[in-house]
C-alpha cells in the first residue's frame, strides 16, 4: 500500500527553486556575451554567471534531501510507477519538441528529425536537458543510497562526509595543478561529480545546529571571488571564455551552493506573502526548466536583443515569463498536462490553475 506524503512543506525550498530557475535561465541567455572579452560588460556577465552556476548543484541538493529523507524511496515499485515517469515523460515530450525545432532550423526533412531523436538515446538534444538525464540516473540508484544511509550510524555518516569533502578538494586542486590527480578520489567522483551535491543535500538539510550567517557570507564571498577571479584569469590566458572555475560539479560552485542552501534554510524557512502567486511558478519549475532553452531559442531568433548586460537581464525575465505562460497553458489542457509537465491533471488544477491563484490571492487580501 502506498504511503501518503505527510511531510511538512519546506518553505525555503520555494525560495531556492525561484532563485535557481532565474539562475539557470540566465546561464543560457548570458552564454553568448561571455564569448566576447569586452571590459565591464564581460565582468558583469562573469559575476552573475559565477553565481548562476550554483543552480544545478542547488537542484541536486534539494532532490537529494527530498529523496533520501522519504521512506517511499525504498519502494522500487513506487520509483518505477511514479518517480521515473514523472521525469522521463516530460523529458521525452520536450525532446521531441527540441528535435522538431532543430529540424525546422536545418533542412526540415523527416530524416533529420529522426536523426535528432536517435541522438537523444545517446545524449541530450539540447544542452540543458543533460540535467534530467543525470537526475534520472540518480533516481535509479536512490533506493540503494537511501538504504545505505539508513544503516549508517553517526560515525558512518561522518565518513561519507569526509569522502565527499575529499572528492570536492580533488576537483578544486586539479584547477591549480592538473597533474596532482589522486586516482582514488578521481574514481570516487561518481555520476560526473554530481553525486556529491546530491548527497550533500541530505546532510545539509538535517544539520542540527545553525551556522552563523556571518560565517556563511564570509565563506561564500571568498569562494565567489575565487570563481570570479579564476574565470577571468583563465579566460585572459586562453583568449576565450573558460568556465573551469564555474564547473557545477567541482568544489568552488558546490561550496557556494552549500552556503546559499544553508543561508536560505536558516533565514527563509517560513510562509511568504507571495506564496499564492509564486506557488504555480514553483509547482511548474521542472516544466519551465525543460522548455526555457527552447523558448529562448525561438524568441530571440525572431526578436534579437543586445548582448549588453541590461539586455541579458531583460532576456532572462522575458524567457521566464514566456516559459511560465507556456507551461501554465499546457497544464490546463488535460491530454497535454502530464505529458509536458509531469504533473497529473487534477494536481495541476489545484496548484497551477489561474483560478486557484486568483482565489488564493483574494483570501490573502481578506
Amino acid at each position: 500500500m502506498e504511503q501518503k506524503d505527510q511531510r511538512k512543506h519546506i518553505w525555503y525550498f520555494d525560495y531556492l527553486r525561484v532563485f535557481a530557475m532565474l539562475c539557470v535561465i540566465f546561464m543560457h541567455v548570458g552564454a553568448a556575451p561571455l564569448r566576447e572579452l569586452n571590459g565591464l560588460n564581460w565582468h558583469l556577465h562573469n559575476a552573475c554567471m559565477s553565481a548562476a552556476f550554483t543552480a544545478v548543484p542547488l537542484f541536486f541538493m534539494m532532490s537529494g534531501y527530498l529523496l533520501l529523507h522519504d521512506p517511499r524511496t525504498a519502494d522500487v515499485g513506487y520509483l518505477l510507477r511514479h518517480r521515473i515517469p514523472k521525469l522521463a515523460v516530460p523529458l521525452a515530450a520536450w525532446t521531441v519538441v527540441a528535435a522538431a525545432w532543430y529540424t525546422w532550423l536545418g533542412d526540415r526533412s523527416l530524416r533529420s528529425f529522426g536523426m535528432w531523436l536517435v541522438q537523444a538515446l545517446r545524449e541530450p538534444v539540447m544542452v540543458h536537458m543533460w540535467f534530467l538525464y543525470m537526475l534520472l540516473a540518480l533516481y535509479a540508484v536512490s533506493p540503494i543510497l537511501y538504504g545505505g544511509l539508513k544503516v549508517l550510524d553517526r560515525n558512518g555518516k561522518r565518513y561519507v562526509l569526509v569522502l565527499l569533502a575529499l572528492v570536492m578538494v580533488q576537483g578544486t586542486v586539479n584547477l591549480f595543478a592538473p597533474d596532482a590527480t589522486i586516482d582514488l578520489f578521481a574514481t570516487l567522483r561518481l555520476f560526473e561529480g554530481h553525486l556529491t551535491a546530491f548527497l550533500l543535500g541530505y546532510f545539509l538539510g538535517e544539520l542540527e545546529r545553525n551556522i552563523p550567517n556571518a560565517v556563511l557570507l564570509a565563506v561564500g564571498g571568498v569562494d565567489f571571488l575565487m570563481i570570479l577571479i579564476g574565470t577571468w584569469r583563465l579566460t585572459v590566458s586562453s583568449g576565450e571564455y573558460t568556465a573551469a572555475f564555474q564547473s557545477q560539479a567541482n568544489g568552488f560552485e558546490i561550496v557556494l551552493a552549500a552556503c546559499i542552501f544553508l543561508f536560505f534554510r536558516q533565514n527563509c524557512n517560513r510562509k511568504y506573502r507571495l506564496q499564492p502567486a509564486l506557488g504555480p511558478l514553483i509547482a511548474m519549475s521542472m516544466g519551465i526548466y525543460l522548455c526555457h532553452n527552447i523558448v529562448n531559442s525561438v524568441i530571440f531568433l525572431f526578436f534579437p536583443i543586445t548582448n549588453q548586460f541590461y539586455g541579458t537581464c531583460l532576456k532572462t525575465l522575458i524567457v521566464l515569463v514566456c516559459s511560465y505562460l507556456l507551461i501554465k497553458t499546457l497544464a490546463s489542457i488535460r491530454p497535454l498536462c502530464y505529458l509536458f509537465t509531469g504533473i497529473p491533471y487534477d494536481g495541476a488544477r489545484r496548484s497551477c490553475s489561474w483560478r486557484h491563484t486568483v482565489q488564493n490571492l483574494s483570501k490573502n487580501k481578506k
Side-chain angles (χ1 to χ4, degrees):
M1 183 179 294
E2 290 183 9
Q3 300 174 355
K4 292 184 178 180
D5 190 357
Q6 298 178 339
R7 294 174 300 175
K8 291 182 179 179
H9 190 84
I10 306 174
W11 293 107
Y12 70 95
F13 273 20
D14 289 356
Y15 293 94
L16 282 173
R17 285 193 180 101
V18 173
F19 173 77
M21 266 192 287
L22 284 169
C23 285
V24 81
I25 294 173
F26 185 92
M27 282 165 51
H28 293 113
V29 301
L34 280 169
R35 298 191 181 99
E36 302 175 9
L37 192 58
N38 56 355
L40 180 61
N41 187 57
W42 188 91
H43 287 292
L44 288 172
H45 278 92
N46 181 37
C48 287
M49 195 67 78
S50 296
F53 268 100
T54 60
V56 166
L58 284 171
F59 277 132
F60 279 130
M61 286 175 186
M62 287 185 279
S63 297
Y65 176 83
L66 291 172
L67 264 69
L68 300 178
H69 281 89
D70 188 347
R72 293 176 300 181
T73 301
D75 183 354
V76 175
Y78 185 81
L79 172 74
L80 296 176
R81 290 192 307 271
H82 296 280
R83 286 187 173 153
I84 294 293
K86 185 178 179 180
L87 294 181
V89 170
L91 173 60
W94 286 110
T95 293
V96 172
V97 174
W101 172 240
Y102 279 151
T103 301
W104 189 88
L105 290 176
D107 61 13
R108 305 185 186 180
S109 68
L110 188 60
R111 179 177 179 275
S112 179
F113 179 66
M115 289 178 65
W116 282 114
L117 293 181
V118 170
Q119 176 186 313
L121 299 175
R122 301 191 306 271
E123 59 185 5
V125 170
M126 270 189 136
V127 63
H128 71 287
M129 292 178 175
W130 74 267
F131 171 74
L132 269 293
Y133 281 64
M134 184 63 67
L135 193 58
L136 276 168
L138 288 168
Y139 268 45
V141 300
S142 61
I144 301 170
L145 297 173
Y146 177 86
L149 288 169
K150 283 299 178 184
V151 300
L152 292 178
D153 59 10
R154 184 180 294 269
N155 287 332
K157 291 181 178 180
R158 286 175 180 170
Y159 175 70
V160 174
L161 276 172
V162 169
L163 288 180
L164 294 178
L166 290 172
V167 171
M168 284 195 297
V169 168
Q170 175 69 72
T172 304
V173 168
N174 284 350
L175 293 172
F176 301 98
D179 296 330
T181 300
I182 299 176
D183 187 64
L184 171 62
F185 301 137
T187 303
L188 286 172
R189 197 169 175 271
L190 303 174
F191 292 86
E192 300 179 10
H194 298 293
L195 180 61
T196 303
F198 189 79
L199 289 174
L200 198 57
Y202 168 83
F203 291 105
L204 294 178
E206 65 172 14
L207 278 180
E208 296 177 357
R209 295 182 180 179
N210 285 350
I211 297 175
N213 287 334
V215 173
L216 291 176
L217 292 172
V219 173
V222 171
D223 186 74
F224 176 73
L225 287 175
M226 293 289 288
I227 298 169
L228 204 68
I229 296 169
T231 303
W232 172 67
R233 288 181 63 88
L234 283 180
T235 299
V236 170
S237 62
S238 65
E240 60 182 7
Y241 172 56
T242 306
F245 275 81
Q246 296 171 337
S247 169
Q248 297 154 315
N250 276 338
F252 284 119
E253 289 290 353
I254 293 179
V255 169
L256 183 56
C259 291
I260 294 171
F261 185 101
L262 289 175
F263 185 85
F264 277 65
R265 177 179 181 265
Q266 295 171 187
N267 297 281
C268 304
N269 198 19
R270 63 182 71 89
K271 190 172 183 178
Y272 45 95
R273 291 182 179 179
L274 290 177
Q275 192 272 337
L278 292 180
L281 176 68
I282 294 157
M284 296 182 292
S285 58
M286 184 177 67
I288 291 172
Y289 180 93
L290 279 166
C291 79
H292 80 273
N293 215 17
I294 303 172
V295 171
N296 175 45
S297 179
V298 172
I299 291 177
F300 297 109
L301 175 68
F302 300 104
F303 305 101
I305 294 179
T306 176
N307 279 337
Q308 294 299 307
F309 181 69
Y310 73 87
T312 301
C313 294
L314 179 60
K315 289 179 189 178
T316 300
L317 292 176
I318 291 173
V319 171
L320 176 63
V321 170
C322 291
S323 300
Y324 170 76
L325 294 174
L326 174 60
I327 295 298
K328 199 168 180 66
T329 301
L330 291 171
S332 68
I333 304 171
R334 185 182 291 272
L336 302 181
C337 180
Y338 189 78
L339 185 63
F340 285 99
T341 70
I343 305 172
Y345 180 71
D346 291 338
R349 288 186 64 189
R350 291 191 299 271
S351 61
C352 305
S353 69
W354 300 100
R355 182 179 298 177
H356 180 81
T357 302
V358 172
Q359 287 175 346
N360 277 348
L361 284 171
S362 300
K363 288 179 184 177
N364 270 24
K365 288 180 181 179
K366 294 177 182 178

